[in-house]
Amino acid sequence: MRLPDKTATMEAAIAAIPDGATIMLGGFGVPGTPFCLIRELVRQGQKDLTIIKNDANETGMGVDWLLEAGQVARLIASHIGLNSRAVRMMNAGEIEVEFAAQGILAERIRCAGSGLLGFVTDIGLGTRMARGKTEVTVEGRTGLLETALFADFALVHADRADHFGNLCYAAAARNFNPLIAMAARRTIAEVETVLPLGALAPEEVHTPGPFVDQVIALPELPEVYGVVQR
Amino acid sequence: MSSSARTRMLRRAAAEIRPGMVVNLGIGLPTQVLAHVPANLPVCLHSENGIAGVGPVREGAAADRNLIDAGGAYVSTVPGASFCDSATSFAIVRGGRLDLTLLGAFEVAGNGDLANWIIPGQFTPGAGGAIELAQKARRVCVLTTHADKSGRSKIRKRCELPLTAPACVDRIVTDLAVCDVTAEGLVLTELADGVSVAQVLAATDADLIVPEGAIPTF
């Protein structure tokens, strides 16, 4: 038996995304952000998107390209402080922003990827983060109901992969990538180095291939992936 | 604040980090504590973006494009470090594996309430990992100047800003003093060298319990 080949072209993979889609993006700051897939999304121009990402990148890169092009209706994130455009658009009512505590955002995504409806946590009790959430009592303790966060598409950046979509991440570029890879109806991975089947040892795979639908080999890495000069 | 007062405060905060601990240093002043931690201290530094075993900052050509800490600084790892995803990283925090966090503050109250993530109408970036760190680290130490830039005390009877977490702070280290949150109230436990009890009382909005006898200095 041979594992299926999921390699695809970037243009075709992104073309499947319709207007109004909910899209999860990997990355915490620069590491792990799928800049090439985002750039293609900007080129194709899908509108009215809901973007789910830990942060809004910095001004001039990644999520900021989508914001600048007016493609984002809604953003779900834990922190957008490094992108002044995102903060300004939020305050001006040009985009809707929902904040979640960082680990709760991660867990809501993980929950969706695990086929669960939600979970109960005491994080945020007694703060404004609890507003609008349902209180639940579990074995005498009060918590908040946090719902699973699903997406139509997940755009992932991986360091290495094989044709079947087994993924490995570099260093701190892992962050939200393995979680979002599990939580979307279709997961598209851009990969720095695509290897033949068998080249990745089973023990070193971070995201198993069944979670991944399409593998896009990056021809070269644009400068935006490099060290940010401040 | 003079540079010697600042150094004294950072050095005092560094003494909170004990051998064997897993520690998370918040963005801002807490990050600067690192320079005062002995290089050979056996301690594991955690970063929210999925690092256990953060090492010294790397600059220029030594920076690894895939290796930043949660504050965005390019860092290194120490031998034995590991990477994990963001859900696992916060499982370390919420699951009780984080022994200590040092956090900055806009306001901290005598009952241990902490406000450090939002100033409505002015500063609304989102909480990041602050809520979980404040609520779930086994020990929370706030490191802050005693007063803000306009001279207003940050050590309040009650926080006026939205809370990061209620009743979460164990200890406050400032440029003037160390104060502990106890069942009886906020207790003055140490004074910065050359600072009097009267000075601390005048600079503190919260009710402060001053123990009898000599108060140690740092």
Side-chain angles (χ1 to χ4, degrees):
Chain A
M1 245 179 298
R2 183 179 170 81
L3 292 169
D5 185 339
K6 299 177 184 172
T7 51
T9 68
M10 192 176 306
E11 187 174 357
I14 295 298
I17 300 177
D19 287 350
T22 296
I23 305 173
M24 287 176 177
L25 301 175
F28 187 120
V30 167
T33 299
F35 290 110
C36 285
L37 294 178
I38 296 171
R39 196 179 53 180
E40 179 62 17
L41 193 55
V42 172
R43 196 185 69 80
Q44 296 191 13
Q46 285 89 335
K47 295 272 189 285
D48 198 26
L49 303 172
T50 293
I51 298 296
I52 302 172
K53 187 185 188 291
N54 174 61
D55 53 84
N57 290 114
E58 295 178 40
T59 311
M61 58 171 73
V63 172
D64 193 52
W65 300 332
L66 292 165
L67 292 170
E68 188 180 19
Q71 293 173 266
V72 181
R74 190 155 178 264
L75 180 62
I76 303 175
S78 85
H79 193 280
I80 61 170
L82 292 179
N83 188 325
S84 56
R85 190 198 314 273
V87 173
R88 186 178 51 69
M89 289 177 81
M90 171 179 71
N91 291 336
E94 294 167 27
I95 54 168
E96 186 189 332
V97 177
E98 177 187 334
F99 286 121
Q102 196 165 98
I104 298 304
L105 179 64
E107 203 65 20
R108 289 178 68 193
I109 295 168
R110 196 193 66 82
C111 225
S114 307
L116 305 174
L117 298 182
F119 61 96
V120 178
T121 176
D122 61 356
I123 294 298
L125 273 181
T127 77
R128 60 164 55 191
M129 292 299 261
R131 285 182 191 167
K133 291 176 184 163
T134 306
E135 285 200 3
V136 179
T137 303
V138 181
E139 295 180 346
R141 293 178 64 194
T142 300
L144 301 169
L145 177 66
E146 293 283 358
T147 54
L149 204 48
F150 295 88
D152 301 314
F153 293 85
L155 307 187
V156 167
H157 178 90
D159 181 59
R160 305 180 307 289
D162 60 26
H163 295 155
F164 181 53
N166 288 308
L167 307 181
C168 294
Y169 309 100
R174 189 181 316 188
N175 54 67
F176 280 74
N177 277 302
L179 306 168
I180 67 164
M182 297 161 64
R185 264 193 284 279
R186 183 178 295 186
T187 294
I188 304 167
E190 59 161 53
V191 179
E192 295 188 22
T193 307
V194 178
L195 300 161
L197 290 171
L200 293 173
E203 292 88 346
E204 65 177 310
V205 172
H206 293 136
T207 292
F211 288 113
V212 178
D213 297 289
Q214 286 165 308
V215 175
I216 317 290
L218 295 176
E220 85 289 332
L221 283 187
E223 200 177 329
V224 67
Y225 290 89
V227 171
V228 180
Q229 306 299 332
R230 293 195 176 88
Chain B
M1 182 175 42
S2 69
S3 72
S4 65
R6 184 186 193 83
T7 302
R8 187 179 300 117
M9 170 174 68
L10 294 173
R11 202 182 297 142
R12 177 62 191 82
E16 295 293 312
I17 301 173
R18 308 276 158 73
M21 280 183 163
V22 179
V23 179
N24 185 298
L25 301 176
I27 295 163
L29 268 181
T31 310
Q32 299 173 33
V33 168
L34 206 50
H36 301 273
V37 176
N40 60 354
L41 190 76
V43 65
C44 173
L45 291 183
H46 167 263
S47 188
E48 295 95 302
N49 58 329
I51 313 171
V54 179
V57 168
R58 288 263 177 84
E59 280 163 0
D64 175 343
R65 66 185 169 90
N66 288 314
L67 190 44
I68 61 171
D69 66 13
Y74 289 94
V75 294
S76 57
T77 51
V78 296
S82 60
F83 299 115
C84 60
D85 65 62
S86 294
T88 306
S89 184
F90 278 90
I92 291 173
V93 178
R94 293 193 310 269
R97 299 289 174 172
L98 186 66
D99 297 300
L100 171 71
T101 187
L102 299 181
L103 296 174
F106 296 147
E107 295 177 333
V108 55
N111 68 347
D113 287 358
L114 174 65
N116 75 350
W117 73 280
I118 185 168
I119 303 174
Q122 279 181 48
F123 179 78
T124 54
I131 292 175
E132 288 152 290
L133 289 170
Q135 198 175 326
K136 291 295 186 178
R138 296 168 75 95
R139 185 168 172 78
V140 176
C141 178
V142 162
L143 174 59
T144 179
T145 55
H146 215 91
D148 68 17
K149 286 194 179 100
S150 66
R152 179 180 183 267
S153 178
K154 289 181 161 195
I155 321 298
R156 313 294 303 171
K157 284 190 178 68
R158 193 164 290 133
C159 291
E160 283 157 37
L161 293 170
L163 296 186
T164 308
C168 61
V169 176
D170 298 289
R171 174 167 284 182
I172 306 167
V173 175
T174 78
D175 49 329
L176 302 183
V178 176
C179 304
D180 282 354
V181 178
T182 72
E184 287 70 43
L186 192 63
V187 179
L188 175 64
T189 54
E190 294 176 42
L191 288 167
D193 191 30
V195 173
S196 69
V197 172
Q199 272 175 283
V200 174
L201 288 173
T204 306
D205 175 72
D207 296 323
L208 195 56
I209 300 168
V210 181
E212 287 177 27
I215 296 174
T217 57
F218 65 91

